[in-house]
Amino acid sequence: MRIEDLSPPERALWEAFPRGESVDLTTGNPVFDDPADADRWTLDRVVRAEVIVALLLGAQEAEPGEIAAVRLTGARITGALNLGHAEVTVPLALTGCSFDDSPHLYWASMRSMHILRCRLPGFVASGTRVDGHLWLEGSHISGGLWLDGAHITGILNLSGVHLVNSGGDALLGDRLTVDANLYCDQGFTADGEVRLPGARIGGQLIFRGARLRNPSGSALYASRLDVAANVFCDGGFSANGAVRLRGARVGGYLSLVGAVLSHPDRTALNADDLAVETDVYCSDGFNAHGAVSFAGARIGGQLSLRGGRITNPGGVALSCQRLQAEDVLLRPAEPIDGLVDYSYAKISRLRDDPATWPAGLQLDGLSYDAIDPPLRAQERLNWLRRDTDGYQPQPYERLAETYRSIGLDAEGRTVLLAKQRDRRVGLTTPSKVWGFIQDVTVGYGYRPFRAATWLLVLLAIGTVVFSLRQPPVLDDGQHPHFNAFFYTLDLLLPIGSLGQEVAYSPAGGYQWVANLLVAAGLVLGLTVAAGVTRVLSRD
């Protein structure tokens, strides 16, 4: 490239490059310097992309003692900035520029790049390595930002960037590696899918205040994402479309405080198999129109839904199936609209609020060490009976064990008695009858004092009846003195003898009374034995 073939702005850039000086082509009037209006800029603001490429690839040498760099402001860049597979050893800084064509940096090796407040029809940097920072702050990129397979050793700054590729990939960051932080905040917007599957972030991932829109699919697709520190999707973060974090790993905490997610009748947040070192906050204004799923997630600290809202009527609104967490704080601003699935979750402490219990639950297999507030057993039974799968034994046994572990044995027995009663509903008629007898007589063994009550009642009745009419003696030669009390007791005892029953034989209606007392004693003895066996088997 000959210097005499350069236009005045190109010549100025050429001469500034060896000293790394900046060339500013702006007018100083913001109205005329907006890159969106670059079509109206005059020729004295036009720079060919091939000139920039030539400088970056060594057409000019740095002056002794200086660091060469391309620093350009307010230019319209025509032609293709093609650096595919190139090795660039100097910085590139473009501010307030407009590109006619998408820059192509695929598989290039670059130094730090600052492309600030520029307007681009696309940006292709697939497989690019940037030794330093990549700043695109405030730029407007249509047609997609491609960073798949790229490796940035410093910061990737997309703060205030506007990505527009409706129905396609707004950001293609599959297998992207950023050794420091990734900023997508301060007004970052994306119309199209933001893709970060398999990406690795060595610092923090910040989507604070970002607005993502892809209603027909995923607004943020980040399965298998690996973030060494914290993830912030808060501070006014919104996503119209699914947020997918399936299999992602977060080395710090995940904040969705105040986030608004919208994917009605579908999954708004898919965090299945997510692994978070500390806490997950879906709280304080968090609002999801669509299902929220933490199925199989592993959370080292707390999962908080305090003050949040989840709406997915007619389906599963919150899935905690197979969740593992130290603490789950389920105290939303209002009852969750839809089913809450806790099946086979393992939680050290479960905290909820009766005022915001959902209408439907799934609790089979749920394991917890403590529940807060514990409430009285009758109140907690109302919680168990919201299980849409009907009677399942495990939730009752888990709740009873929790009561016993804090010394509330009576409450635990109340739960186990309710378990037997609820189980009886689904039995055959004979089993129901037998269960009813056990319930009335000894409360399935969990109310043993009922047996003594029944014995005393029957003993009193028999004593009165046989005091009024002594039964005839069977053997006039030898018989004990008749005692109505001991005679009735002898009839009631299913085993052993006091010598009264064998010596006297009532007749007529009194024979029926005696037979009924014998039958009652037998049934009562069997139910007591069954109840005691049940209690011993549970303990």
Side-chain angles (χ1 to χ4, degrees), residues 1-25 47 51-52 54-55 59-64 66-72:
M1 180 171 289
R2 299 184 305 172
I3 192 169
E4 55 266 25
D5 295 331
L6 302 177
S7 66
E10 293 170 348
R11 185 182 296 242
L13 181 63
W14 192 275
E15 293 173 350
F17 172 80
R19 297 180 301 278
E21 295 177 349
S22 179
V23 175
D24 189 348
L25 302 180
V47 174
V51 176
I52 298 175
L55 290 172
Q60 274 272 68
E61 295 289 336
E63 289 188 2
E66 301 289 346
I67 299 175
V70 172
R71 306 184 190 277
L72 179 62

Side-chain angles (χ1 to χ4, degrees), residues 67-81:
I67 299 175
V70 172
R71 306 184 190 277
L72 179 62
T73 301
R76 177 181 176 182
I77 299 173
T78 60
L81 186 68

Side-chain angles (χ1 to χ4, degrees), residues 148-231:
D148 51 309
H151 185 182
I152 298 160
T153 64
I155 292 171
L156 173 56
N157 190 346
L158 302 178
S159 298
V161 169
H162 299 281
L163 303 177
V164 180
N165 193 22
S166 183
D169 297 330
L171 169 60
L172 183 64
D174 301 40
R175 304 175 310 283
L176 168 68
T177 299
V178 179
D179 290 350
N181 296 338
L182 169 52
Y183 295 94
C184 298
D185 58 348
Q186 298 181 19
F188 175 89
T189 64
D191 187 357
E193 185 171 322
V194 174
R195 293 183 53 87
L196 292 170
R200 297 176 60 191
I201 311 300
Q204 300 187 122
L205 174 58
I206 303 171
F207 275 99
R208 182 162 284 160
R211 299 189 301 277
L212 313 182
R213 185 179 184 278
N214 189 34
S216 61
S218 298
L220 173 60
Y221 181 76
S223 63
R224 306 181 312 282
L225 171 70
D226 190 339
V227 180
N230 306 315
V231 176

Side-chain angles (χ1 to χ4, degrees), residues 6 134 165 171 196 230 260 317 393 418-419 431 438 454 483 495 503 523:
L6 302 177
L134 174 56
N165 193 22
L171 169 60
L196 292 170
N230 306 315
V260 177
K419 170 195 167 187
S431 297
Q438 292 186 76
W454 279 105
N483 185 296
I495 58 174
V523 171

Side-chain angles (χ1 to χ4, degrees), residues 413-414 416-418 420-421 424 435-451 454 524 527-528 531-532 534-535:
R413 288 193 296 272
T414 298
L416 294 175
L417 175 57
Q420 295 299 329
R421 289 173 174 171
R424 192 170 71 212
F436 180 76
I437 293 172
Q438 292 186 76
D439 191 358
V440 171
T441 54
V442 291
Y444 285 98
Y446 302 113
R447 297 289 185 264
F449 288 110
R450 287 186 184 178
W454 279 105
L524 187 60
T527 53
V528 168
V532 170
R534 179 177 296 109
V535 172

Side-chain angles (χ1 to χ4, degrees), residues 3-303:
I3 192 169
E4 55 266 25
D5 295 331
L6 302 177
S7 66
E10 293 170 348
R11 185 182 296 242
L13 181 63
W14 192 275
E15 293 173 350
F17 172 80
R19 297 180 301 278
E21 295 177 349
S22 179
V23 175
D24 189 348
L25 302 180
T26 60
T27 65
N29 187 336
V31 175
F32 299 108
D33 292 333
D34 187 347
D37 297 324
D39 290 342
R40 295 186 293 178
W41 289 356
T42 56
L43 291 177
D44 60 353
R45 299 184 65 176
V46 174
V47 174
R48 290 172 294 164
E50 60 184 287
V51 176
I52 298 175
V53 170
L55 290 172
L56 293 175
L57 296 182
Q60 274 272 68
E61 295 289 336
E63 289 188 2
E66 301 289 346
I67 299 175
V70 172
R71 306 184 190 277
L72 179 62
T73 301
R76 177 181 176 182
I77 299 173
T78 60
L81 186 68
N82 192 341
L83 291 166
H85 300 281
E87 184 172 350
V88 178
T89 59
V90 296
L92 171 63
L94 303 173
T95 304
C97 295
S98 175
F99 288 75
D100 285 3
D101 296 303
S102 302
H104 286 74
L105 284 69
Y106 46 85
W107 295 102
S109 177
M110 308 288 295
R111 293 295 182 266
S112 290
M113 287 192 293
H114 291 71
I115 301 178
L116 311 178
R117 302 187 300 281
C118 293
R119 196 170 188 91
L120 306 95
F123 190 95
V124 180
S126 302
T128 300
R129 178 182 175 88
V130 178
D131 288 316
H133 304 317
L134 174 56
W135 289 58
L136 299 173
E137 185 175 3
S139 293
H140 185 286
I141 303 173
S142 57
L145 169 59
W146 291 9
L147 295 172
D148 51 309
H151 185 182
I152 298 160
T153 64
I155 292 171
L156 173 56
N157 190 346
L158 302 178
S159 298
V161 169
H162 299 281
L163 303 177
V164 180
N165 193 22
S166 183
D169 297 330
L171 169 60
L172 183 64
D174 301 40
R175 304 175 310 283
L176 168 68
T177 299
V178 179
D179 290 350
N181 296 338
L182 169 52
Y183 295 94
C184 298
D185 58 348
Q186 298 181 19
F188 175 89
T189 64
D191 187 357
E193 185 171 322
V194 174
R195 293 183 53 87
L196 292 170
R200 297 176 60 191
I201 311 300
Q204 300 187 122
L205 174 58
I206 303 171
F207 275 99
R208 182 162 284 160
R211 299 189 301 277
L212 313 182
R213 185 179 184 278
N214 189 34
S216 61
S218 298
L220 173 60
Y221 181 76
S223 63
R224 306 181 312 282
L225 171 70
D226 190 339
V227 180
N230 306 315
V231 176
F232 299 94
C233 295
D234 52 16
F237 175 86
S238 67
N240 187 352
V243 174
R244 302 190 181 276
L245 300 172
R246 181 164 191 167
R249 191 194 74 84
V250 179
Y253 63 84
L254 169 61
S255 175
L256 286 153
V257 173
V260 177
L261 312 181
S262 181
H263 206 209
D265 302 320
R266 289 170 287 182
T267 300
L269 173 61
N270 184 340
D272 294 355
D273 302 314
L274 171 72
V276 177
E277 191 72 23
T278 57
D279 304 320
V280 176
Y281 301 105
C282 297
S283 58
D284 302 312
F286 173 82
N287 201 331
H289 299 277
V292 173
S293 180
F294 287 96
R298 300 178 304 282
I299 299 172
Q302 180 185 96
L303 170 59

